[in-house]
Amino acid sequence: MPVPVDLVTTSASGLDPDITPAGALFQIPRVAKARHIPEDRLRQLVQAHIEDRVLGLIGEPHVNVLKLNLALDAM
């Protein structure tokens, strides 16, 4: 599977809490292994945390990594 572009071109500053859905889905095997949770359950959680464009027009669909990590910590 090719690496999503945003994972290799985005700033390493860590200031932007969002990644593309493709970037989040790409990391599922690694995160599932590190968190000791089934990949299917993590995939469901990622899908539930995909936020759409603002007003359906502005920006791109994205995953807020902070919100997703908080949901993972609550499991």
Side-chain angles (χ1 to χ4, degrees):
M1 175 197 264
V3 177
V5 173
D6 67 307
L7 294 183
V8 294
T9 60
T10 305
S11 166
S13 70
L15 296 177
D16 187 358
D18 302 331
I19 61 174
T20 63
L25 293 169
F26 180 82
Q27 297 181 71
I28 285 177
R30 180 183 61 80
V31 174
K33 184 177 179 182
R35 293 264 189 166
H36 306 290
I37 60 174
E39 287 186 27
D40 289 342
R41 177 65 184 117
L42 181 54
R43 188 171 286 102
Q44 291 171 352
L45 201 56
V46 168
Q47 293 289 345
H49 282 82
I50 295 175
E51 299 177 11
D52 205 2
R53 295 176 168 104
V54 177
L55 301 174
L57 301 170
I58 301 169
E60 294 296 325
H62 60 278
V63 176
N64 183 302
V65 177
L66 175 60
K67 289 180 181 178
L68 179 57
N69 282 335
L70 290 173
L72 283 167
D73 289 345
M75 290 181 67

